[in-house]
Amino acid sequence: MKLISTNGLEEDLVVECDTLLTGTFNGNLTVLPGAKLCLDAKLNGDLYLRKNSIVSIQNTIVGNVYNEGGKIEMIGLIEGKLIEV
């Protein structure tokens, strides 16, 4: 599993493999098919889940979550909307 520790990083990120994201992230995240994201960071942006991706939300997402067929494990909070597309 890849570990990314952020401290206010401001950019968009594409998750291609199993990843643990910690800290605070300012940008949009896209999780590709087959990848798993453990989101232990506060996300100030949107989250895009592609088909057959998995995300475990353990913190707060300030933006929206766009789910295109992924699996969501919810422990944290989505302040925006959960949109199934």
Side-chain angles (χ1 to χ4, degrees):
M1 179 174 281
K2 183 177 181 180
L3 171 63
I4 300 175
S5 181
T6 64
N7 193 10
L9 184 65
E10 295 188 22
E11 65 181 44
D12 291 344
L13 179 67
V14 176
V15 177
E16 300 174 346
C17 61
D18 293 357
T19 301
L20 170 62
L21 184 65
T22 64
T24 300
F25 186 83
N26 300 309
N28 298 319
L29 292 174
T30 301
V31 185
L32 297 182
K36 180 174 182 177
L37 171 64
C38 182
L39 184 60
D40 194 22
K42 180 177 181 182
L43 174 60
N44 296 310
D46 294 330
L47 175 63
Y48 298 87
L49 295 176
R50 301 295 188 236
K51 187 175 182 178
N52 298 321
S53 62
I54 301 171
V55 66
S56 175
I57 300 170
Q58 301 181 6
N59 205 315
T60 301
I61 297 177
V62 176
N64 296 323
V65 175
Y66 298 90
N67 188 358
E68 299 176 3
K71 179 180 177 187
I72 299 173
E73 300 168 352
M74 179 67 73
I75 298 171
L77 174 68
I78 300 172
E79 291 185 357
K81 296 180 181 179
L82 174 58
I83 300 166
E84 302 286 337
V85 292

